Amino acid sequence: MNTPIKTRKRGAPAPKPANDNSNLRDRLNAARIGWREAVLGAIAWGAAMAISAQASMWLSTGAQTSHYWVLTALLFAGGALAWPFSLAAFRVVAFRKAREAAFAAAVLCLSLSTIIITATIYAIIYRNFYAQWHGDPFTKLWLLQLAFTSAAAFYQFAVLGLRLYLPLGLVFLLAAAWLLARGRNWTRRPARSRTPVLNRSRGR
């Protein structure tokens, strides 16, 4: 019994070969960001995180802390440095996705990048403060002290630092994710050219 051969419908896209990497190339091309959106977005997102930290300190302690401006600068630096990475990651993940999926990707990329980079900056500052009591560099004792000090810094930021993002940080996160998902023109396929073909014979 002969198996019928399926024919491709007219106008349907041709199947891609198994080794085709065009989708990956398209995602990487979409991840490219201009210097304006990188710089201006970093300033805006860093300022939003700084305002979130100030609001949290005002609501929790009435801003009665000696580290008010240090924590403000920490969250500003973390947000500003995280913006370009989170924007590029968002464009890769949300490429040609529906608006709901793009919104979820924006929330994930922005929150993870901001928290990880801010916690890393805090861990570097924390470790540098205690470095004066550490052993000689690159010894076994020094490596153990580096590992435990860094782990303690990340734990401390997770317990005490994450509350600085509430409540305004969550509002800024949802607003930024909505704007990114709403203005994702870079995810659309380029329109096909409809330039009429000249010199066609009338009989066709």
Side-chain angles (χ1 to χ4, degrees), residues 83 87 90-91 94-108 110 173-188:
W83 174 261
L87 181 59
F90 161 72
R91 290 186 171 183
F95 184 71
R96 291 176 183 168
K97 293 294 191 298
R99 182 168 295 179
E100 294 78 8
F103 177 81
V107 171
L108 181 66
L110 274 174
L173 174 63
L174 297 178
W178 181 79
L179 290 174
L180 288 175
R182 182 173 177 268
R184 68 199 203 302
N185 295 328
W186 42 268
T187 64
R188 298 174 183 174

Side-chain angles (χ1 to χ4, degrees), residues 3-26:
T3 304
I5 300 175
K6 295 182 179 180
T7 59
R8 182 167 56 92
K9 294 182 179 180
R10 188 175 183 180
K16 294 183 178 181
N19 60 348
D20 181 63
N21 294 321
S22 60
N23 187 44
L24 177 60
R25 289 194 300 267
D26 292 341

Side-chain angles (χ1 to χ4, degrees), residues 153-194:
F154 281 108
Y155 175 78
Q156 191 177 66
F157 183 83
V159 173
L160 301 176
L162 291 181
R163 67 182 64 179
L164 296 174
Y165 295 106
L166 298 174
L168 285 185
L170 180 60
V171 176
F172 289 140
L173 174 63
L174 297 178
W178 181 79
L179 290 174
L180 288 175
R182 182 173 177 268
R184 68 199 203 302
N185 295 328
W186 42 268
T187 64
R188 298 174 183 174
R189 294 176 181 267
R192 292 184 178 180
S193 175
R194 295 187 177 182

Side-chain angles (χ1 to χ4, degrees), residues 40-140:
L40 297 180
I43 294 174
W45 185 244
M49 296 300 98
I51 293 173
S52 173
Q54 292 183 343
S56 178
M57 287 185 285
W58 273 100
L59 291 175
S60 59
T61 63
Q64 299 299 317
T65 172
S66 58
H67 303 294
Y68 180 82
W69 290 111
V70 174
L71 294 175
T72 300
L74 172 65
L75 263 69
F76 175 84
L81 292 176
W83 174 261
F85 298 100
S86 58
L87 181 59
F90 161 72
R91 290 186 171 183
V92 171
V93 175
F95 184 71
R96 291 176 183 168
K97 293 294 191 298
R99 182 168 295 179
E100 294 78 8
F103 177 81
V107 171
L108 181 66
C109 294
L110 274 174
S111 58
L112 288 181
S113 297
T114 303
I115 291 173
I116 291 174
I117 292 181
T118 307
T120 302
I121 296 174
Y122 177 76
I124 293 174
I125 298 173
Y126 188 91
R127 188 266 163 192
N128 288 338
F129 175 78
Y130 287 99
Q132 54 187 324
W133 295 291
H134 286 186
D136 295 331
F138 304 107
T139 60
K140 184 177 180 180

